[in-house]
Amino acid sequence: QNSSDSSQEYTSDVFAMDTYMTLTAYGENAQEAVEAGIAEIQRLDDLLSTGKDTSEVAQINANGGGVLSEDTDYLVKRALDIYQSTNGAFDISIYPVMQLWGFTTGNFAVPSESDLAAKLALVDAGKIILSEENGQTSISLPEGMEIDLGGIAKGYTSGRVMDVMKSYGIKSAVINLGGNAHVLGNKTDGSQWKVGIQDPEDENGYLGGVSVTDKAIITSGGYERYFVDKDTGVKYHHIIDPKTGYSANNGLISVTIVSADSTLADGLSTSLFVLGTEDAITYCEEHCAEDGFDAIMEDEDGKLYITDGIYDDFINMNNNKNIEK
Ligand code: ADP
């Protein structure tokens, strides 16, 4: 009875958005908060999953447009902002190309040049038309275009889950949505959360970690979802360069974004991976401070790039000396 509120801990798992998710909350109402968080994940999964025929996004794709719900409206606009600021590296209209490669079904195949060119011709988020009427947004897609919010949905979802948890009075929580981490507040002992970042070349290792408070820590890498072509041995992964239609291969093997804005963090982890080493560094120089994010990126030579804002909070687990600010 004298146990302090913060000693209460509740954890639960859920499979949603094609991945395993774990939610842990501390304090009074921890269980209710986690359960409400899971309900929110399921609500957004039903709304945003391109693969679910009944989802709002699937309906938009089937009908070439429609009226957007509040969540989808917000997400599409954030996605289009990132499309603009990354010169098209982030493009939610990449879906027909994802399908062609089999990333949506698991029936992987390297497409012919002509099939790829035909699908790539449908990709250009700049052609998405949004119109506002009576406080509602409608979306209209050109013939053949289909959208996929997979590059940004989990970041948005973790932010929503944290909002739900906060509404239950929770001040300390950590969630992991299939490698996308998000922490609320600090640990119950008042110290910062320490979040490990997966080593892209070793499933069981870490490339390092970060000490954080109230942040999303979201990583994109070519090691997450991929297949190997039996004939050539070439590895193809699920982050597509909209310029080529092929798996992005521009020098980076892992990009982690740390930000209080989890939607931005998710969109940018994919974007900077596509942009590649040089352009990603330039993007960080121009946007990190103003937009409120930091980046930890590893290139194919094992060199780590860490932006100023997170440099002192990086935990160098491997005694890595090849680090550049
Ligand atoms: P994961 O969702 O596996 O954690 P990411 O956050 O990096 O990984 O997002 C990859 C997903 O983003 C793909 O599964 C696909 O749905 C989508 N995607 C792939 N390439 C792009 C791109 N260039 N722009 C926007 N979305 C993309």
Side-chain angles (χ1 to χ4, degrees):
Q1 5 153 304
N2 195 22
S3 72
S4 73
D5 292 337
S6 62
S7 67
Q8 293 183 30
E9 172 183 339
Y10 188 81
T11 297
S12 190
D13 299 321
V14 60
F15 187 84
M17 300 185 176
D18 226 13
T19 192
Y20 286 96
M21 305 183 166
T22 306
L23 292 75
T24 303
Y26 298 85
E28 211 182 329
N29 299 332
Q31 179 169 352
E32 292 86 338
V34 165
E35 283 166 0
I38 288 177
E40 179 67 358
I41 289 170
Q42 280 158 345
R43 183 183 76 81
L44 292 171
D45 193 11
D46 288 342
L47 201 64
L48 303 173
S49 286
T50 320
K52 284 192 179 170
D53 287 349
T54 51
S55 77
E56 184 178 341
V57 174
Q59 292 293 316
I60 288 167
N61 287 339
N63 301 325
V67 177
L68 298 177
S69 67
E70 216 176 296
D71 297 284
T72 313
D73 182 16
Y74 174 80
L75 258 189
V76 167
K77 285 174 183 163
R78 294 295 311 266
L80 292 180
D81 284 347
I82 300 174
Y83 164 84
Q84 291 291 346
S85 78
T86 61
N87 282 319
F90 189 78
D91 193 322
I92 54 171
S93 68
I94 200 73
Y95 195 60
V97 175
M98 294 294 292
Q99 283 175 306
L100 185 65
W101 283 98
F103 284 112
T104 55
T105 57
N107 298 324
F108 303 119
V110 179
S112 71
E113 290 291 331
S114 60
D115 283 352
L116 192 56
K119 294 297 181 194
L120 208 49
L122 302 170
V123 177
D124 182 358
K127 292 188 180 143
I128 294 174
I129 296 170
L130 297 180
S131 49
E132 316 280 337
E133 204 178 336
N134 303 328
Q136 279 192 313
T137 308
S138 293
I139 188 169
S140 173
L141 307 177
E143 184 73 36
M145 183 185 282
E146 292 185 61
I147 59 168
D148 168 21
L149 299 173
I152 196 168
K154 276 187 279 166
Y156 175 66
T157 300
S158 76
R160 287 288 316 143
V161 168
M162 288 314 192
D163 288 344
V164 167
M165 294 234 203
K166 282 190 246 174
S167 77
Y168 281 78
I170 299 297
K171 295 190 170 56
S172 177
V174 56
I175 64 180
N176 189 330
L177 313 187
N180 291 14
H182 198 150
V183 302
L184 178 65
N186 283 322
K187 294 201 283 186
T188 50
D189 66 6
S191 65
Q192 287 193 293
W193 294 102
K194 291 180 176 46
V195 177
I197 301 168
Q198 197 190 314
D199 182 342
E201 289 169 318
D202 172 8
E203 215 183 315
N204 302 309
Y206 294 102
L207 72 71
V210 278
S211 299
V212 277
T213 305
D214 282 321
K215 292 279 184 344
I217 304 92
I218 299 188
T219 302
S220 286
Y223 58 88
E224 293 175 305
R225 286 174 202 231
Y226 64 89
F227 72 97
V228 178
D229 181 23
K230 281 197 243 30
D231 300 330
T232 61
V234 176
K235 198 169 142 179
Y236 296 97
H237 62 73
H238 74 319
I239 301 175
I240 303 290
D241 187 339
K243 283 206 172 76
T244 64
Y246 284 88
S247 304
N249 183 18
N250 299 317
L252 293 175
I253 59 171
S254 170
V255 174
T256 298
I257 306 291
V258 179
S259 176
D261 179 346
S262 56
T263 308
L264 181 74
D266 198 12
L268 285 186
S269 66
T270 308
S271 306
L272 298 196
F273 187 91
V274 171
L275 283 176
T277 318
E278 263 177 57
D279 289 348
I281 290 172
T282 307
Y283 190 92
C284 288
E285 285 166 358
E286 289 173 357
H287 292 270
C288 270
E290 191 173 331
D291 297 349
F293 72 91
D294 278 292
I296 297 160
M297 310 188 278
E298 181 171 358
D299 74 10
E300 54 204 4
D301 300 323
K303 188 168 178 178
L304 286 183
Y305 301 86
I306 305 178
T307 57
D308 283 345
I310 196 94
Y311 193 83
D312 292 337
D313 301 316
F314 181 72
I315 306 163
N316 190 357
M317 297 171 174
N318 304 322
N319 204 12
N320 196 326
K321 301 217 166 48
N322 204 1
I323 297 181
E324 203 172 291
K325 260 207 202 191

